[in-house]
Amino acid sequence: MKASDADILIIPGYTNSGPGHWQTRWEAKLSTARRVEQAEWTKPVREDWIARIAEEVNASTRPVVLVAHSLGVPSVIHAIPHFRKPVAGAFLVAPPDVANPEIRPKHLMTFGPYPREPLPFPSITVASRNDPFGSYDHADDIASSWGSFLVDAGESGHINTDSGHGPWPDGTMVFAQFLSRLTA
């Protein structure tokens, strides 16, 4: 599949992805990409985030490819039962451990726990070995339960602008390869 064959939904996490973030850059470069906007980025409500993602998936006219970062990951996973249109694949980056009572702000725990059923579409989960919001072992565990291919990003922090991942060329290459293997 080529990017032009899909509706690429960019799903940021808590506080949104700023202008230098790799998600924002990908959205600007990919003609069929659009951000799933949330009404409240700083006080996320799980049900509202899930509903917005499902709304965007169900409004799509082409096969959907989801590109989620951080809190966008559990939001996507919880939204799956509400999808009425097929999803071709999901690229899931830096999944936070939303069941960890140490997570801050604490209300992010309302996005946990993760459903553990196998995903109904191909997926890749990219995780860092020193992500302050979720351990690599946690990412490995949930990716395994979903049947998602886990990509070890090494010591890459939260794979965001703060950890030096504005352009994120390695991620671009992994995403392009993943996209090329998807079918409508």
Side-chain angles (χ1 to χ4, degrees):
M1 174 180 296
K2 291 185 250 176
S4 59
D5 298 331
D7 280 338
I8 299 170
L9 299 183
I10 305 291
I11 303 162
Y14 176 63
T15 72
N16 202 348
S17 293
H21 195 284
W22 61 266
Q23 280 189 312
T24 303
R25 293 168 186 251
W26 289 13
E27 180 184 3
K29 285 185 178 183
L30 299 167
S31 65
T32 61
R34 68 181 186 274
R35 181 174 307 240
V36 175
E37 294 289 345
Q38 298 291 351
E40 185 54 71
W41 289 108
T42 58
K43 291 190 174 121
V45 176
R46 177 173 134 169
E47 293 74 23
D48 295 347
W49 279 39
I50 289 168
R52 281 291 301 128
I53 293 165
E55 182 182 323
E56 290 292 334
V57 167
N58 296 333
S60 294
T61 57
R62 292 178 284 250
V64 173
V65 176
L66 305 166
V67 178
H69 178 258
S70 193
L71 196 62
V73 176
S75 302
V76 162
I77 303 302
H78 287 297
I80 291 170
H82 306 282
F83 295 168
R84 293 188 310 273
K85 296 269 180 88
V87 169
F91 191 76
L92 310 169
V93 180
D97 185 352
V98 287
N100 181 347
E102 302 300 314
I103 197 168
R104 295 293 180 267
K106 205 144 185 82
H107 70 269
L108 299 183
M109 284 185 68
T110 62
F111 284 75
Y114 283 95
R116 300 185 61 83
E117 294 79 24
L119 301 184
F121 42 75
S123 66
I124 284 183
T125 301
V126 180
S128 166
R129 292 199 171 263
N130 64 340
D131 188 334
F133 301 105
S135 72
Y136 185 82
D137 288 342
H138 171 263
D140 186 20
D141 180 53
I142 58 174
S144 178
S145 73
W146 298 334
S148 184
F149 182 79
L150 181 66
V151 174
D152 183 342
E155 294 194 359
S156 299
H158 195 49
I159 313 176
N160 60 4
T161 310
D162 290 345
S163 63
H165 294 84
W168 196 30
D170 291 345
T172 302
M173 289 187 299
V174 173
F175 180 68
Q177 187 175 36
F178 175 63
L179 199 58
S180 74
R181 293 185 173 152
L182 296 179
T183 57

